[in-house]
Amino acid sequence: MSVFTGAGVAIVTPMNADGSVNYEKLAELLEFQINNQTDSIIICGTTGEAATLSEQEHIDVVKFCVDQVKGRIPVIAGTGSNCTASAVELSVKAEQTGADALLCVTPYYNKATQSGLVAHFKNVADSVKIPVILYNVPSRTGCNLLPDTVATIVKETKNVVGIKEATGNLSQIAKLMSIMDSNFELYSGNDDQIVPILSLGGKGVISVLSNVAPRQTHEIVADYLKGDVQSACRKQLDAIELITALFCEVNPIPVKHALNLMGMDVGPLRLPLSPMEPANLEKLRKAMVNYGLIK
């Protein structure tokens, strides 16, 4: 049940001036990604402002993405929630739209116990037949999915196939991979750790950077996997200034501004996310110039 290898983009959700979803622009972004070698689309995740989408908008955006991509690369739908019943409902509906896989974040705010996390993910996975990728990002959820817990979830379900790891804790990730079999799929959730995660057996990255530099992010993974570690490392390090700028304020504030600086016109953010502070915007602009994305 392998989902993808390479660089998948955690794509933004473009908005019109009135805050509604701009589907025409979303179609353009999807074609830009596919034409620049992105290996998968992750729709309605954190970067896609899923927390501010209504349930109907969420499913409509997933369906639009599936219909636009037309099977050319996998579409992975974010369907996580802090309410298990809501996560199950979103997951079932995303499967019905034709999504190839699901990305499910740990429940946020509730701060579930490890046994609660097992029960939560079992309920979600058992509600669908398509692959499920866990998403561990304690900095945003207040909840850390521990290695032994992941192993239990995988053992007790048929379709939990991997994890997006955004703890930043390479020791924890190494422990996880040491107890999982070779079929388990590890994806970096941090753009500054693509190469380190690959060195621990990772299959790629679910990336914010890919929104603005899809081909370059794809090449970091592709070079590493074909054995050119030196090239992959060089490209990883070349992107560090830009990656740092893309996270100088909470994601996806900077990446939406970056796309607008590139002339992509992805529109505003939905509250409570707000425009960048001028000093940070200038930092982002400088990093984009240095990386060759704008003049």
Side-chain angles (χ1 to χ4, degrees):
M1 299 179 77
S2 179
V3 180
F4 79 97
T5 298
V9 60
I11 200 165
V12 304
T13 301
M15 305 291 183
N16 294 304
D18 64 1
S20 61
V21 176
N22 186 338
Y23 288 99
E24 181 178 353
K25 182 59 62 174
L26 179 55
E28 291 179 19
L29 294 180
L30 292 168
E31 293 305 316
F32 169 72
Q33 289 293 324
I34 292 170
N35 291 338
N36 283 279
Q37 296 185 290
T38 285
D39 299 290
S40 181
I41 304 291
I42 295 81
I43 191 78
C44 291
T46 304
T47 312
E49 297 177 79
T52 67
L53 299 175
S54 70
E55 183 178 311
Q56 189 59 57
E57 285 178 317
H58 195 125
I59 296 304
D60 288 347
V61 170
V62 173
K63 185 178 188 308
F64 181 89
C65 180
V66 169
D67 291 346
Q68 180 70 29
V69 172
K70 295 183 175 67
R72 287 174 287 175
I73 57 176
V75 172
I76 302 169
T79 57
S81 174
N82 67 328
C83 170
T84 302
S86 296
V88 167
E89 185 174 0
L90 274 175
S91 298
V92 169
K93 289 181 177 179
E95 181 179 43
Q96 290 170 347
T97 69
D100 297 289
L102 307 176
L103 179 68
C104 293
V105 70
T106 52
Y108 38 87
Y109 186 75
N110 306 59
K111 300 182 77 169
T113 64
Q114 296 299 301
S115 60
L117 293 174
V118 172
H120 172 83
F121 285 116
K122 282 182 63 179
N123 272 269
V124 173
D126 289 347
S127 72
V128 296
K129 294 183 173 61
I130 56 177
V132 175
I133 299 171
L134 309 175
Y135 180 17
N136 193 25
V137 57
S139 63
R140 296 192 77 124
T141 65
C143 183
N144 188 11
L145 190 56
L146 298 176
D148 289 341
T149 306
V150 175
T152 300
I153 293 167
V154 171
K155 181 179 178 181
E156 296 186 9
T157 60
K158 295 180 179 179
N159 54 334
V160 173
V161 300
I163 191 167
K164 175 185 176 183
E165 255 294 349
T167 59
N169 186 339
L170 292 175
S171 295
Q172 178 174 312
I173 297 167
K175 169 68 183 302
L176 171 64
M177 295 307 286
S178 75
I179 64 175
M180 304 305 293
D181 67 33
S182 60
N183 294 323
F184 187 72
E185 301 181 7
L186 171 66
Y187 300 98
S188 177
N190 293 328
D191 284 310
D192 61 350
Q193 293 185 339
I194 301 172
V195 170
I197 294 291
L198 291 171
S199 75
L200 292 173
K203 295 196 68 173
V205 60
I206 294 176
S207 170
V208 174
L209 175 65
S210 284
N211 279 280
V212 296
R215 188 179 299 273
Q216 296 93 320
T217 313
H218 164 87
E219 288 176 353
I220 293 172
V221 181
D223 286 357
Y224 186 96
L225 294 179
K226 72 182 181 184
D228 194 344
V229 176
Q230 185 174 5
S231 175
C233 185
R234 185 180 67 252
K235 290 174 181 177
Q236 169 82 91
L237 296 176
D238 286 347
I240 291 296
E241 181 192 12
L242 176 57
I243 293 166
T244 301
L246 287 172
F247 289 91
C248 68
E249 292 187 18
V250 69
N251 177 54
I253 293 174
V255 74
K256 267 201 155 177
H257 281 76
L259 286 164
N260 286 333
L261 287 171
M262 292 171 67
M264 297 287 199
D265 298 325
V266 299
L269 298 134
R270 284 185 176 179
L271 287 171
L273 299 183
S274 57
M276 289 186 79
E277 297 296 328
N280 286 333
L281 182 58
E282 185 54 36
K283 182 189 300 183
L284 176 63
R285 188 192 309 274
K286 179 181 176 183
M288 293 176 70
V289 169
N290 291 342
Y291 199 68
L293 294 179
I294 59 174
K295 295 181 179 180

